[in-house]
Amino acid sequence: MDLHKEVDRRRTFAIISHPDAGKTTITEQLLLYSGAIRQTGTVKGKKSGKFAKSDWMEIEQQRGISVTSSVMQVDYDGYKVNIVDTPGHEDFSEDTYRTLMAVDAAVMVIDSGKGIEPQTKKLFQVCRMRGIPIFTFMNKLDRDGREPMELVAELEEILGIDSYPMNWPMGMGKMYLGNYDIYNKRLELNHPDDFDGLDFIGLDDQGQPESHKELLEQSSVYCDALDEVELITEAGNPFDQAAIAAGELTPVFFGSALTGFGVETFLNAFVDFAPHPTTTETEDGKEISPYNDQVTGFIFKIQANMDPRHRDRIAFVRICSGEFQEGIEVKLDRTDKKLRLNNTTRFMADSREEVKESVAGDIIGLYDTGNFQIGDTIYTGKEPVSFKDLPQFTPELFMKVTPKNVMKQKSFHKGVAQLVQEGAIQLYKTWHTEDYILGAVGQLQFEVFQHRLLNEYNSEVVMEPMGSKIARWIKPEDIDPSMSSSRNLLCKDRYDRPVFLFENQFAENWFQNKYPDVELESLL
Ligand code: G4P
């Protein structure tokens, strides 16, 4: 195997979007274009059941094909594309954020009828922090939505990122003529039948169509689009590949995931511009090249099987360098323990299969019997490697938790400790009384916690919701226990660092006014 070549054709990305923006539908299109599935269409009935699963499992149910949750690998146009799922709705959890630590690029799908929505904003911020390229797909142009100029302005304003429209819609809804493809210098036509069966019409040096000019000029949506394109090419941001790579400029595409219009153009540009895997930084500031022979990787997600009959868990590893082969021996940096990795899984579009080999950029699943924790590094060879810790995220939802049966304190504490270590939930204790408080970024984390504690540790718990809070860390020297009240509860986190849980923004502002010298910090 030519490692260099294999790494260079990897594209590892996640799709970020607000629920219902069209993530599933666009994923389906990618599967279709890559030949992984043969039919597509609206994923119907997905709202009828209670899904605490990946969207792809819903596709699986709809299509009767077997796509696995969480990670998929498909071949597209000579590239090996790894898509990592970022569950959007009821599954929203720290996992969703952490997944973004394992990808090299993100695709942001926006419903053009709605614009930037809250979940998109949260996920975007994590991508921004990592400085990975972000590609924007303005979806649902087959419906009447908001004006494209307004959408692009909102994108820049709310998210604080520059944008470069790669194409521009000519109309929308029933009047959606197609896209003026600025980057590829052509018109992409939504209704080829109206143009003698042409899907595309080339543009000359002046940006004028090479054929059907008169017909096009009779269309008001074409003329309007032309005016807008002139405006954005003169007054907008220049195309800048380095800025795209640094995540400072997002290329914007328009289209419809449902009808597939504009999707292929988008995917082609995406695989061309999205980066192949690059270096990964270690704790001591070294950069590990993906082309290194030494195999390294880190664990960013542990998925416990919710089925009580099977206690197995899968640890998801992002390979950072080298060529992984089945049966290799690795060392776990945290414990120094040697492990032979025999039972590994790779996730293909239509099946899980045993991994024979994988390279940097790929994501593999390791069957875990309790060896791994989120953030662990694995490596081959003698040279120890330890990648930087994965960031912790500021939880927003809190829950008091106590064991139902006081006689079973031991299993309760053991279970809590392990689930916290695994990164499934965050733990806080009230400053004085050390009552347990759980913190999460999504409701599902609590449900999973309760379920696993019962099933894996035989500990039934009482959970008392505290609602959403604003968690802010302070320096230990600033502590004055009299500062604590029910509206700003002083707690300690799992490392005994002092943290306030504010009831709301008002409470935080009030506190800050009263104690202007106390610095309040958030995690990510
Ligand atoms: P998600 O994974 O981001 O949550 O979104 P998903 O792809 O499931 O799409 C949500 C709904 O939006 C689906 O409708 C889907 O068919 C529709 N949709 C996605 N892309 C487009 C598009 O380009 N144009 C139009 N018109 N619709 C699109 P659904 O499941 O039938 O539910 P409903 O929302 O229509 O009730």
Side-chain angles (χ1 to χ4, degrees):
M1 178 197 272
D2 181 341
L3 180 61
H4 217 284
K5 215 167 120 194
E6 282 301 319
V7 170
D8 285 356
R9 71 188 191 105
R10 262 33 185 201
R11 296 290 181 272
T12 303
F13 75 102
I15 304 181
I16 59 175
S17 66
H18 194 82
D20 280 345
K23 180 169 63 106
T24 311
T25 313
I26 209 163
T27 306
E28 233 183 345
Q29 292 284 353
L30 173 64
L31 296 181
L32 186 75
Y33 285 119
S34 68
I37 58 171
R38 269 180 214 90
Q39 50 167 327
T40 178
T42 318
V43 180
K44 284 283 175 210
K46 53 179 290 223
K47 297 203 180 84
S48 55
K50 186 173 183 295
F51 291 110
K53 314 173 186 166
S54 159
D55 289 338
W56 292 332
M57 285 164 99
E58 293 166 28
I59 300 185
E60 178 171 320
Q61 288 180 341
Q62 300 300 323
R63 299 273 163 267
I65 56 162
S66 158
V67 291
T68 65
S69 65
S70 303
V71 186
M72 292 195 293
Q73 186 179 67
V74 295
D75 289 294
Y76 181 83
D77 201 21
Y79 294 91
K80 278 241 182 268
V81 176
N82 296 304
I83 323 167
V84 192
D85 192 16
T86 52
H89 26 326
E90 59 263 62
D91 322 32
F92 199 71
S93 69
E94 280 167 84
D95 262 358
T96 315
Y97 288 146
R98 276 192 295 247
T99 292
L100 297 173
M101 302 297 130
V103 297
D104 301 316
V107 168
M108 179 162 68
V109 179
I110 292 172
D111 182 336
S112 61
K114 297 196 172 135
I116 310 294
E117 297 176 87
Q119 211 93 296
T120 319
K121 199 175 156 189
K122 279 190 187 176
L123 293 164
F124 172 85
Q125 280 158 347
V126 179
C127 295
R128 201 61 210 276
M129 172 213 82
R130 288 207 51 219
I132 56 173
I134 300 160
F135 296 76
T136 304
F137 189 80
M138 296 285 186
N139 192 24
K140 307 199 183 180
L141 263 290
D142 60 300
R143 275 191 201 164
D144 286 327
R146 305 205 359 222
E147 284 301 321
M149 277 291 185
E150 208 181 292
L151 287 168
V152 169
E154 185 177 283
L155 175 83
E156 297 208 343
E157 220 173 275
I158 296 189
L159 300 181
I161 187 169
D162 289 340
S163 68
Y164 180 84
M166 301 288 274
N167 56 26
W168 197 256
M170 301 183 284
M172 62 177 84
K174 286 203 174 63
M175 302 289 284
Y176 191 22
L177 187 66
N179 287 337
Y180 187 103
D181 190 338
I182 301 168
Y183 184 75
N184 293 304
K185 296 192 175 51
R186 63 187 187 183
L187 301 179
E188 183 171 3
L189 299 165
N190 198 7
H191 306 290
D193 288 352
D194 298 344
F195 295 89
D196 302 316
L198 291 177
D199 289 308
F200 300 101
I201 293 176
L203 293 171
D204 63 19
D205 291 347
Q206 270 74 49
Q208 295 294 324
E210 282 165 351
S211 72
H212 298 80
K213 193 165 179 227
E214 276 168 28
L215 182 63
L216 282 159
E217 281 171 351
Q218 286 166 20
S219 152
S220 62
V221 291
Y222 168 76
C223 296
D224 290 350
L226 208 60
D227 287 345
E228 288 174 336
V229 166
E230 228 168 71
L231 191 74
I232 52 177
T233 41
E234 272 169 28
N237 301 303
F239 181 77
D240 179 347
Q241 206 167 332
I244 294 176
E248 287 158 7
L249 178 80
T250 177
V252 179
F253 301 79
F254 290 84
S256 162
L258 187 68
T259 67
F261 185 77
V263 175
E264 201 174 359
T265 301
F266 166 68
L267 292 173
N268 288 340
F270 173 77
V271 287
D272 281 349
F273 289 117
H276 57 71
T278 54
T279 57
T280 313
E281 199 182 338
T282 64
E283 220 167 41
D284 46 12
K286 258 194 348 212
E287 297 282 349
I288 303 281
S289 158
Y291 312 118
N292 263 8
D293 284 340
Q294 183 182 29
V295 180
T296 63
F298 64 86
I299 288 152
F300 64 94
K301 177 185 170 100
I302 291 177
Q303 193 162 306
N305 202 323
M306 298 287 281
D307 182 343
R309 287 166 303 174
H310 301 283
R311 287 275 175 83
D312 66 328
R313 305 188 299 180
I314 290 183
F316 288 86
V317 181
R318 149 89 192 207
I319 308 277
C320 298
S321 65
E323 180 191 337
F324 177 94
Q325 289 196 321
E326 192 183 32
I328 60 167
E329 192 177 78
V330 297
K331 219 172 192 189
L332 188 64
D333 74 316
R334 184 174 42 82
T335 58
D336 256 355
K337 204 168 157 181
K338 279 187 182 163
L339 299 163
R340 188 164 294 283
L341 303 180
N342 276 321
N343 213 349
T344 49
T345 311
R346 181 167 54 196
F347 304 88
M348 301 297 282
D350 55 355
S351 63
R352 278 183 185 198
E353 65 170 35
E354 235 171 71
V355 177
K356 296 280 181 287
E357 53 196 22
S358 282
V359 302
D362 289 341
I363 285 158
I364 57 171
L366 305 177
Y367 284 98
D368 177 26
T369 49
N371 286 316
F372 301 115
Q373 282 179 20
I374 284 166
D376 279 351
T377 302
I378 54 170
Y379 61 92
T380 55
K382 294 212 162 52
E383 185 79 23
V385 178
S386 184
F387 289 120
K388 276 172 95 169
D389 278 347
L390 294 180
Q392 265 205 320
F393 299 96
T394 305
E396 287 162 26
L397 298 172
F398 294 85
M399 190 81 91
K400 283 200 179 123
V401 61
T402 44
K404 197 163 191 173
N405 181 349
V406 284
M407 303 303 286
K408 284 192 174 169
Q409 293 274 0
K410 211 172 149 196
S411 53
F412 169 77
H413 287 292
K414 185 175 167 216
V416 172
Q418 290 198 0
L419 294 183
V420 167
Q421 247 182 19
E422 197 187 282
I425 201 111
Q426 294 193 28
L427 177 69
Y428 300 83
K429 291 177 203 158
T430 52
W431 193 259
H432 296 296
T433 47
E434 304 227 327
D435 297 335
Y436 275 23
I437 293 174
L438 303 174
V441 305
Q443 181 65 30
L444 186 80
Q445 277 178 263
F446 294 126
E447 285 163 37
V448 171
F449 169 85
Q450 191 165 15
H451 182 98
R452 289 189 56 193
L453 216 59
L454 180 64
N455 284 280
E456 295 173 30
Y457 301 94
N458 196 20
S459 170
E460 212 175 332
V461 293
V462 181
M463 310 263 278
E464 189 191 326
M466 298 169 70
S468 62
K469 302 263 178 241
I470 301 172
R472 293 289 179 262
W473 277 255
I474 63 166
K475 294 200 184 88
E477 59 268 26
D478 285 340
I479 294 178
D480 168 359
S482 70
M483 287 171 173
S484 184
S485 79
S486 64
R487 299 178 58 220
N488 46 281
L489 187 64
L490 183 59
C491 296
K492 48 183 104 165
D493 69 8
R494 61 185 275 221
Y495 305 109
D496 284 340
R497 294 178 302 194
V499 54
F500 273 114
L501 304 185
F502 291 105
E503 193 169 40
N504 50 32
Q505 193 58 54
F506 181 77
E508 183 185 348
N509 295 348
W510 179 86
F511 180 92
Q512 192 71 91
N513 280 335
K514 189 160 182 205
Y515 305 103
D517 295 337
V518 176
E519 243 174 81
L520 300 173
E521 272 183 54
S522 62
L523 301 173
L524 284 171

